[in-house]
Amino acid sequence: GESVGLHLPTLSVQEGDNSIINCAYSNSASDYFIWYKQESGKGPQFIIDIRSNMDKRQGQRVTVLLNKTVKHLSLQIAATQPGDSAVYFCAEGGGGKLIFGQGTELSVKP
Amino acid sequence: EAQVTQNPRYLITVTGKKLTVTCSQNMNHEYMSWYRQDPGLGLRQIYYSMNVEVTDKGDVPEGYKVSRKEKRNFPLILESPSPNQTSLYFCASSLSGVRTEAFFGQGTRLTVV
């Protein structure tokens, strides 16, 4: 059933520090994982993805790590900037379905 | 400009009055999908479409209908809206299924009173 009034997990970091956002996924059959960034008043925006046959993938200032043994996904943001402040969602995909995690709110202090 | 366009952006309606939220993409994407976003629950998939005339249920399809008569459009229909369908709705499209980058619309905030 639905849980009403849950607060998002929050991560607060200092500008310039590295951020690590974690996510646990549920379906062992999922073979594709994505991180999205959602700024206030906007739709989610793709950041980086990784397939289940990989453990790590790097983009510009971002790295995604996948641990299939414990069904864990993490997003690392290097040298976090104020513009990185947003809610970050992980998502797992398989077949035609996409299942999103609850989200983590990242707050960057100047 | 490549984009996913939803209309309307905001809608207040009454219980039981049928409504349609439109979604259109100009990227020739095969895959389109609808999500609802509620506080603390993240995004939940309502319906998706792998291609024209092919639609499937997501995790929360009850109370919704969709159609995919042409590639660019994927309207979301609420035949008899109820207050528990008050939510923020997003449409998304991707080139080919969930394993390709999804582009999201700006959202439709629906309030059912």
Side-chain angles (χ1 to χ4, degrees), chain B residues 6-30:
Chain B
Q6 296 177 226
N7 279 296
R9 292 288 313 278
Y10 302 91
L11 179 59
I12 301 174
T13 190
V14 296
T15 299
K17 185 177 180 182
K18 181 179 178 179
L19 67 92
T20 299
V21 184
T22 64
C23 175
S24 179
Q25 50 94 3
N26 62 359
M27 296 169 278
N28 201 35
H29 284 170
E30 291 185 349

Side-chain angles (χ1 to χ4, degrees), chain B residues 45-57:
Chain B
Q45 193 173 37
I46 303 171
Y47 269 96
Y48 63 94
S49 170
M50 298 294 284
N51 213 325
V52 175
E53 300 293 1
V54 180
T55 63
D56 280 293
K57 296 178 181 179

Side-chain angles (χ1 to χ4, degrees), chain A residues 2 31-32 38 96-98, chain B residues 31 37 44-45 98-99:
Chain A
E2 291 191 6
D31 60 2
Y32 181 68
Q38 187 176 25
K97 288 192 173 184
L98 202 57
Chain B
Y31 182 90
Q37 185 173 28
R44 293 178 292 167
Q45 193 173 37
V98 296
R99 296 181 185 83

Side-chain angles (χ1 to χ4, degrees), chain A residues 89-102:
Chain A
F89 293 97
C90 66
E92 55 182 301
K97 288 192 173 184
L98 202 57
I99 299 172
F100 283 79
Q102 184 187 7

